[in-house]
């Protein structure tokens, strides 16, 4: 990588064009994470120039955390800027909820990533650069991070729980080169006043530590970036080992307790870390991970295991491990009328019911037309009959036979016709309400963990 003084604006555009060609193909949709700061403004200018050359579709997304008193001004600036560049902008207004022992920076990042997951795009493009990478590596080292943390920020990775890729094309570009580009091209940007506050660890390193390091080691940005790449290769090997172990141990969203505990401790921890990474934006500390593995391998087959970490709970039932949001369980009782909607959001359960009309399958629509149809929570004592060959039984007994974990039983919506239970999510349709062949039917699908979001499109 050339020094920042040798990266003129033309070279920077050419460098990014070569870099993007490695990941982006014509027709791909790229959404730039636009804060309004100099880094993302420079990247916006370059991507706009390259969008016609490479043939990708460019938009922008701005996340307003509401932390600074200038947040609204920054949102307005981004709106004005995108209007000048003639690209669409989505603005997300989020609330930052800081967990115990979590930094404000980490909490804000979590909120941003939750917003990014709602964007209809192939790539979220981030403007982090070589100086950010060096800062991240030293921060992680001072926190005693493992190989995953020390590999810092990868150029491209999947956004957890989505098919969206996070792309960082500037990781080999120093901050000084971006500032030079902005000045030469007379770009305007906003300044976040918090960037000068050395009470934040990253700012302390940026303003107090790295200037001293640069006196003795002027090439530290390049060397630390190279170290990140080496550690990234090591992390990739560990992930490949975990993938090989997961072939027999992980089934969809669950992990086999028996398979996990059959591995040696280091390999078991690697598999557990890989499993949790599919569900969590940041992982438990080393001590918590050690304790979690110890408790998992010590439980008995009939123990309803529970381990909580921040807003996540790890549960085990009949030898199957699951990772769930803490708000997964609910005690709220509700009755919601269904009036023919194709989709209905069930707020107490934080999920969506989808209703699809199909011939000869699902619920008999003719029977539904005669009575009031409601969606209700489980209250206890419900009776249900799946098969005419078997008697009506309690829903509790049916859940037990289906090996449904106890904590899930109150999180499933129930469909009633008048006061008769006719459909249970994950179980099926009562035999007396099943649609006859060729008769109009209604299939009901439950989509858990689908949330509404505060989004503005401009």
């Amino acid at each position: 990588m050339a020094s920042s003084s040798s990266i003129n604006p033309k070279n920077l555009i050419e460098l990014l064009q070569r870099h993007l060609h490695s990941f982006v193909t014509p027709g791909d949709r790229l959404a730039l994470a636009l804060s309004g700061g100099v880094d993302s403004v420079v990247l916006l200018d370059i991507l706009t120039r390259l969008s016609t050359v490479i043939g990708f579709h460019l938009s922008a997304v701005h996340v307003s955390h509401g932390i600074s008193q200038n947040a609204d001004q920054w949102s307005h600036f981004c709106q004005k800027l995108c209007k000048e560049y003639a690209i669409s902008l989505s603005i997300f207004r989020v609330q930052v909820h800081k967990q115990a022992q979590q930094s404000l920076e980490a909490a804000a990042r979590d909120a941003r990533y939750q917003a990014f997951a709602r964007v209809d795009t192939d790539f979220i493009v981030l403007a982090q650069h070589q100086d950010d990478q060096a800062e991240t590596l030293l921060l992680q080292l001072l926190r005693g991070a493992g190989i995953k943390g020390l590999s810092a920020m990868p150029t491209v990775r999947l956004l957890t729980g989505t098919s969206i890729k996070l792309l960082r094309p500037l990781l080999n570009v120093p901050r000084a080169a971006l500032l030079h580009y902005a000045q030469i091209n007379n770009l305007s940007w906003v300044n976040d006043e918090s960037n000068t506050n050395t009470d934040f660890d990253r700012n302390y390193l940026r303003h107090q530590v790295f200037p001293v390091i640069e006196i003795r080691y002027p090439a530290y940005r390049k060397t630390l970036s190279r170290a990140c790449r080496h550690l990234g290769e090591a992390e990739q090997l560990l992930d490949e080992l975990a993938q090989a172990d997961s072939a027999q141990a992980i089934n969809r969203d669950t992990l086999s307790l028996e398979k996990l505990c059959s591995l040696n401790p280091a390999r078991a921890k690697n598999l557990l870390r890989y499993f949790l990474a599919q569900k969590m934006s940041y992982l438990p500390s080393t001590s918590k991970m050690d304790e979690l593995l110890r408790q998992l391998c010590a439980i008995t087959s009939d123990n309803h295991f529970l381990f909580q970490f921040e807003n996540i709970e790890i549960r085990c039932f009949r030898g199957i491990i699951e990772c769930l949001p803490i708000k997964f369980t609910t005690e709220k009782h509700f009755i919601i009328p269904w009036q023919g909607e194709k989709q209905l959001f069930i707020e107490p359960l934080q999920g969506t019911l989808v209703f699809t009309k199909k011939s000869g399958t699902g619920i008999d629509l003719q029977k539904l037309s005669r009575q009031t149809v409601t969606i209700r929570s489980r209250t206890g004592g419900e009776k249900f009959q799946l098969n005419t060959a078997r008697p009506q039984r309690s829903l509790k007994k049916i859940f037990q036979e289906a090996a449904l974990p106890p904590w899930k039983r109150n999180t499933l919506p129930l469909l009633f016709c008048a006061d008769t239970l006719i459909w249970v999510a994950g179980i099926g349709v009562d035999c007396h309400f099943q649609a006859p062949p060729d008769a109009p039917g209604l299939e009901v699908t439950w989509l858990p963990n689908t949330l509404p979001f505060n989004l503005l499109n401009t």
Side-chain angles (χ1 to χ4, degrees):
M1 180 68 200
S3 66
S4 60
S5 60
S6 66
I7 303 179
N8 60 46
K10 182 180 178 182
N11 289 344
L12 183 55
I13 294 173
E14 292 174 350
L15 186 150
L16 256 70
Q17 182 175 350
R18 291 195 303 270
H19 199 60
L20 288 174
H21 271 304
S22 301
F23 304 101
V24 178
T25 57
D28 281 345
R29 299 165 300 164
L30 276 64
L32 169 66
L34 182 66
S35 67
V38 63
D39 307 331
S40 61
V41 167
V42 167
L43 191 51
L44 172 64
D45 187 81
I46 296 175
L47 290 177
T48 302
R49 297 168 188 256
L50 294 178
S51 61
T52 54
V53 177
I54 299 176
F56 58 80
H57 303 288
L58 180 63
S59 63
V61 54
H62 173 76
V63 180
S64 177
H65 305 90
I67 298 173
S68 170
Q69 61 182 5
N70 299 313
D72 288 341
Q73 294 179 26
W74 298 341
S75 298
H76 294 150
F77 172 82
C78 291
Q79 285 179 307
K80 181 175 179 291
L81 191 63
C82 289
K83 186 176 181 179
E84 293 173 0
Y85 281 96
I87 68 167
S88 63
L89 172 69
S90 298
I91 298 179
F92 290 85
R93 306 191 189 282
V94 301
Q95 292 184 336
V96 177
H97 300 289
K98 185 174 172 291
Q99 304 291 334
Q101 299 182 335
Q102 185 186 31
S103 69
L104 183 62
E105 180 188 37
R109 182 179 62 247
D110 287 349
R112 269 197 310 279
Y113 282 10
Q114 289 173 20
F116 292 160
R118 299 288 169 173
V119 181
D120 185 17
T121 189
D122 299 308
F123 292 89
I124 296 287
V125 189
L126 305 171
Q128 284 129 341
H129 45 69
Q130 197 174 57
D131 292 68
D132 293 323
Q133 186 76 304
E135 292 162 4
T136 300
L137 173 60
L138 190 52
L139 279 171
Q140 295 287 57
L141 190 62
L142 292 170
R143 292 166 181 162
I147 288 179
K148 184 176 181 65
L150 294 176
S151 60
M153 297 177 288
T155 301
V156 62
R157 74 167 177 87
L158 281 176
L159 177 60
T160 303
T162 75
S163 60
I164 300 171
K165 295 177 182 177
L166 297 177
L167 177 61
R168 298 179 175 93
L170 297 176
L171 288 182
N172 286 330
V173 179
R175 180 186 291 115
L178 299 177
L179 185 59
H180 179 62
Y181 180 99
Q183 293 168 339
I184 290 295
N185 287 279
N186 296 315
L187 301 181
S188 299
W189 62 89
V190 299
N191 289 305
D192 184 345
E193 70 279 358
S194 70
N195 286 337
T196 59
N197 184 353
T198 54
D199 288 340
F200 296 115
D201 290 342
R202 182 177 293 272
N203 289 341
Y204 182 81
L205 293 181
R206 181 179 302 166
H207 298 295
Q208 301 293 330
V209 176
F210 278 115
V212 178
I213 291 176
E214 189 167 21
I215 295 172
R216 184 64 180 259
Y217 305 100
Y220 78 87
R221 296 174 181 84
K222 286 177 60 179
T223 54
L224 292 183
S225 293
R226 185 167 63 245
C228 288
R229 290 195 295 273
H230 294 328
L231 289 160
E233 291 172 358
E235 182 202 354
Q236 185 177 356
L237 291 175
L238 288 175
D239 279 348
E240 290 177 1
L241 176 62
Q243 287 172 7
D245 289 335
S246 71
Q248 298 296 323
I250 295 178
N251 181 19
R252 296 183 181 178
D253 294 330
T254 64
L255 173 63
S256 165
L257 177 65
E258 180 184 2
K259 299 294 184 183
L260 175 70
C261 296
S262 68
L263 300 173
N264 69 61
R267 194 162 172 175
K269 194 192 303 184
N270 186 55
L271 175 60
L272 183 59
R273 186 181 297 111
Y274 176 82
F275 171 70
L276 295 178
Q278 314 306 312
K279 295 286 188 179
M280 305 171 68
S281 55
Y282 62 100
L283 295 173
S285 65
T286 299
S287 60
K288 283 188 171 62
M289 190 71 76
D290 288 341
E291 178 62 17
L292 172 57
L293 182 61
R294 185 195 69 78
Q295 289 190 27
L296 280 170
C297 293
I299 64 177
T300 56
S301 59
D302 60 347
N303 189 0
H304 296 173
F305 177 84
L306 171 61
F307 187 98
Q308 292 187 340
F309 170 73
E310 305 297 350
N311 60 344
I312 292 294
E313 58 185 27
I314 295 92
R315 290 184 175 268
C316 187
F317 179 68
R318 297 189 180 182
I320 300 298
I321 303 166
E322 289 189 82
C323 179
L324 306 163
I326 278 183
K327 294 181 180 179
F328 182 77
T329 57
T330 180
E331 298 298 330
K332 297 179 181 178
H333 297 305
F334 59 86
I335 299 177
I336 299 172
W338 179 67
Q339 298 173 326
E341 298 94 335
K342 291 183 178 180
Q343 294 188 16
L344 188 59
F345 179 68
I346 310 300
E347 191 276 334
L349 300 182
Q350 297 292 281
T352 301
L353 282 169
V354 179
F355 300 88
T356 307
K357 293 181 179 180
K358 287 188 178 180
S359 178
T361 185
I363 303 170
D364 188 343
L365 267 175
Q366 290 184 343
K367 290 187 176 181
L368 292 189
S369 65
R370 304 169 192 164
Q371 300 286 349
T372 300
V373 178
T374 55
I375 297 98
R376 305 184 190 181
S377 57
R378 180 180 176 226
T379 57
E382 295 88 355
K383 301 289 185 179
F384 196 64
Q385 188 174 3
L386 270 173
N387 193 318
T388 54
R390 301 191 66 180
Q392 188 182 60
R393 294 174 298 151
S394 71
L395 187 56
K396 178 181 178 180
K397 183 65 175 178
I398 293 171
F399 281 155
Q400 290 173 340
E401 290 182 357
L404 193 70
W407 58 87
K408 282 188 177 180
R409 296 172 189 172
N410 290 340
T411 68
L412 298 177
L414 311 180
L415 196 67
F416 282 77
C417 183
D419 290 322
T420 302
L421 177 60
I422 64 170
W423 175 86
V424 181
I427 300 297
V429 181
D430 185 279
C431 61
H432 301 292
F433 280 80
Q434 292 170 2
D438 301 323
L442 183 71
E443 283 195 346
V444 186
T445 306
W446 172 237
L447 302 177
N449 302 317
T450 49
L451 304 175
F453 210 84
N454 180 15
L455 168 65
L456 301 176
N457 287 309
T458 63

